[in-house]
Amino acid sequence: MARITLRQLLDHAAEHSYGVPAFNINNMEQGLAIMEAADAVDAPVIIQASRGARAYANDIVLKHLIDALAEMYPHIPICMHQDHGNNEATCATAIQFGFTSVMMDGSLKADGKTPADYGYNVAVTRAVVDMAHWVGASVEGELGVLGSLETGMGEKEDGHGFEGKLGHDQLLTDPDQAVDFVKATQVDALAIAMGTSHGAYKFTRRPDGDVLAMHVIEEIHQRLPNTHLVMHGSSSVPQDLQDVINQYGGEMPQTWGVPVEEIQRGIKHGVRKINIDTDNRMAMTGAIRKVFAESPGEFDPRKYLKPAMDAMRAVCRQRFEEFGTAGWAGKIRPLPMTAMAKRYAAGELAPKIGVTRQAAE
Ligand SMILES: [Zn+2]
């Protein structure tokens, strides 16, 4: 079965200059929608589950769901990733249930809401990296706290996110500190804070450089050309999805997400993993609202879940095409985690710091 680690997949993406959307799942419908889209365009996938998703679906159900998807689509490499792990135990148990990659988010304390200091972040991330690399799993770390540069506020998602208000010093990743962090922790991928936030209400206007600090990505990529960067909260919150929801009885205030062109610009500067949840949630909700509004007598869940899957599949397919992920699945030969563990032990995968991309190749 074509399970792949995040590190191997993002190394391939970097080599060929594309990005990979990471879609969140909680249930079978979302899993099938992602895989049908990936199959249609031959794209490798990153499926991620938050702690909230693991609690909602149950670890055993999720494990067998991913096994089922991998069996259905043996030609599509699947990376199964823990989104926003809050401590070592969350990351260890994810790997126990078949995840090939974990995020240790040490920007917040284990409660998932208190901003942590740098020393704590380094220590807890390094502990997870040691544990994960022994078994060949990958680790994404986070430096800087995700939140809006417009308001200083975070958006809690699945119980994860700070409370209160933070300053730009905490909401923007410091490029020099990023170099130190990657060196100290040996993470495979780095999530950075540059104005994106979780949920639908990211920006009150179409974002410009003041509220979406793409220059931070470019500065970090210059210093860490071989580190895979991750953009969280990167749904585009398309107007047409907002309109469908509101047309059929929803009440979503006008909002803006991260424009696809900005993500494409990020991909040119080292962004390899782009987290998307809200767009898929909105696509499904709009489709379900439409059925409910047009056929109020309907009570067979398949009659509204099927259109919901169709709508989500369309969003996933579009992102695979926009990020350049399409067409690569068949060209990747996934290594088992045991082989990745040997590569880590041999020092082959240690971060290259202060080396330009050209010199490293
Ligand atoms: Zn996130």
Side-chain angles (χ1 to χ4, degrees):
M1 272 180 231
R3 205 72 61 97
I4 191 169
T5 69
L6 185 72
R7 177 59 186 271
Q8 191 195 352
L9 177 52
L10 298 191
D11 280 350
H12 187 269
E15 191 185 335
H16 299 281
S17 306
Y18 65 93
V20 187
F23 298 122
N24 287 75
I25 67 161
N26 304 273
N27 62 26
M28 178 194 82
E29 284 76 12
Q30 293 168 317
L32 288 173
I34 296 166
M35 295 309 293
E36 286 168 7
D39 185 46
V41 298
D42 192 40
V45 304
I46 302 170
I47 295 177
Q48 57 186 12
S50 64
R51 277 190 295 148
R54 288 175 61 186
Y56 173 84
N58 187 296
D59 280 335
I60 298 169
V61 171
L62 270 184
K63 176 187 184 326
H64 289 280
L65 173 59
I66 302 304
D67 283 345
L69 298 174
E71 188 176 335
M72 288 172 73
Y73 298 97
H75 53 292
I76 302 289
I78 301 174
C79 169
M80 186 63 203
H81 177 80
Q82 168 75 52
D83 192 18
H84 290 286
N86 63 317
N87 61 19
E88 300 94 321
T90 297
C91 296
T93 53
I95 295 168
Q96 182 180 23
F97 283 101
F99 289 48
T100 57
S101 177
V102 295
M103 175 189 193
M104 177 60 235
D105 179 358
S107 73
L108 300 175
K109 293 275 187 67
D111 64 7
K113 59 184 180 192
T114 309
D117 61 55
Y118 181 69
Y120 171 90
N121 192 354
V122 168
V124 72
T125 305
R126 178 70 207 217
V128 169
V129 166
D130 284 340
M131 179 266 297
H133 286 183
W134 288 333
V135 296
S138 316
V139 180
E140 172 187 336
E142 173 167 326
L143 185 62
V145 181
L146 292 165
S148 164
L149 295 174
E150 279 185 275
T151 62
M153 310 289 274
E155 180 79 24
K156 223 177 178 49
E157 190 163 62
D158 285 357
H160 193 99
F162 72 91
E163 287 166 348
K165 211 169 165 162
L166 294 178
H168 282 200
D169 55 325
Q170 280 173 292
L171 295 172
L172 288 173
T173 304
D174 174 69
D176 292 325
Q177 200 174 49
V179 175
D180 188 71
F181 185 79
V182 170
K183 212 186 287 183
T185 61
Q186 306 277 302
V187 286
D188 299 286
L190 180 67
I192 58 180
M194 26 70 80
T196 64
S197 55
H198 294 130
Y201 304 101
K202 301 179 192 301
F203 305 108
T204 59
R205 53 185 162 94
R206 193 182 159 84
D208 58 22
D210 290 340
V211 295
L212 179 62
M214 296 302 293
H215 67 91
V216 170
I217 288 180
E218 293 167 15
E219 286 167 28
I220 293 173
H221 183 56
Q222 269 178 7
R223 289 175 175 72
L224 290 169
N226 300 292
T227 297
H228 306 310
L229 303 180
V230 181
M231 282 176 74
H232 278 246
S234 290
S235 279
S236 300
V237 198
Q239 191 63 47
D240 60 325
L241 295 184
Q242 295 183 49
D243 291 344
V244 172
I245 288 174
N246 288 335
Q247 183 186 346
Y248 295 105
E251 291 180 6
M252 282 191 74
Q254 179 63 44
T255 180
W256 281 264
V258 183
V260 166
E261 313 86 80
E262 298 295 335
I263 296 169
Q264 289 168 330
R265 182 175 152 198
I267 292 170
K268 290 198 178 78
H269 296 278
V271 170
R272 299 293 161 229
K273 174 172 179 277
I274 302 101
N275 289 6
I276 293 171
D277 190 3
T278 295
D279 286 350
N280 287 328
R281 292 178 174 196
M282 288 176 65
M284 295 187 94
T285 298
I288 289 171
R289 280 196 170 280
K290 183 166 189 283
V291 175
F292 284 176
E294 288 177 347
S295 315
E298 189 55 68
F299 59 89
D300 176 352
R302 292 170 298 185
K303 293 284 166 47
Y304 50 86
L305 291 175
K306 182 69 174 62
M309 285 169 64
D310 293 343
M312 174 162 164
R313 184 178 61 232
V315 172
C316 294
R317 180 178 175 148
Q318 200 181 341
R319 297 293 177 268
F320 285 134
E321 286 170 342
E322 289 163 339
F323 300 165
T325 333
W328 289 110
K331 298 186 172 69
I332 303 172
R333 294 285 163 271
L335 292 170
M337 277 173 51
T338 48
M340 291 300 286
K342 286 191 183 123
R343 295 183 67 199
Y344 286 116
E348 270 176 55
L349 300 174
K352 297 188 185 82
I353 311 274
V355 189
T356 64
R357 170 158 294 284
Q358 287 72 16
E361 277 166 3

